[in-house]
Amino acid sequence: MSHLTTPGAVIYAKDLSKVSCFYEQLLQSIATHAEDEYTVLELPHFQLVIHAIPDRIANTFQISSPPKRRGEAATKLMLPVASISKAREVAANLGGQIDAVDREWEFQHCRICDGHDPEGNVIQVRELISR
């Protein structure tokens, strides 16, 4: 299967710098490439691209503070973290949120919790449970 590209996702952001910083710190990753219009984060076996929303579109809406979670989206990113507790702190410091401990659940050897980034995009973080 080496002939296939790395799987990944694209997140569109009104504030490219803020959203890129959020995911870089949440995932303990570094940007491998950055331009005025996008940032690329490389994880093992996954590439996350944060792409700036063009000004002509970005100027037509506002992001509230705190951001309103956009839970109606058809897709939710599942992101690996070493610690949900640490991810909760990082997210809060960067304008996002990981839900409270009482909203966590376990599934397929993972502890899982939903949240959102600084622009309200819904995410799910997953911490491997040691057995």
Side-chain angles (χ1 to χ4, degrees):
M1 297 249 263
S2 62
H3 63 283
L4 300 175
T5 62
T6 302
V10 177
I11 296 175
Y12 290 92
K14 185 168 180 156
D15 185 333
L16 177 63
S17 177
K18 185 175 188 175
V19 175
S20 295
C21 181
F22 175 85
Y23 285 104
E24 194 170 344
Q25 291 189 37
L26 183 74
L27 299 173
Q28 299 176 354
S29 179
I30 59 167
T32 58
H33 191 82
E35 301 267 338
D36 291 341
E37 296 179 356
Y38 65 89
T39 300
V40 177
L41 300 177
E42 296 282 347
L43 297 152
H45 314 291
F46 188 78
Q47 184 181 74
L48 184 60
V49 177
I50 298 90
H51 197 290
I53 297 171
D55 287 340
R56 64 182 165 69
I57 297 170
N59 292 335
T60 66
F61 67 94
Q62 297 294 319
I63 304 292
S64 63
S65 182
K68 180 179 181 278
R69 190 175 289 189
R70 297 191 289 224
E72 319 79 45
T75 304
K76 181 190 317 182
L77 290 177
M78 299 183 320
L79 302 168
V81 295
S83 163
I84 290 177
S85 177
K86 177 67 175 165
R88 191 173 283 116
E89 292 175 28
V90 170
N93 288 334
L94 296 170
Q97 177 186 333
I98 304 300
D99 292 342
V101 173
D102 65 344
R103 303 286 308 268
E104 294 177 6
W105 72 96
E106 293 183 10
F107 179 69
Q108 294 187 326
H109 310 293
C110 291
R111 182 168 294 108
I112 302 168
C113 198
D114 287 345
H116 63 268
D117 72 15
E119 294 194 358
N121 297 304
V122 177
I123 60 173
Q124 183 178 93
V125 292
R126 292 178 166 221
E127 172 186 341
L128 194 60
I129 298 172
S130 301
R131 299 253 181 214

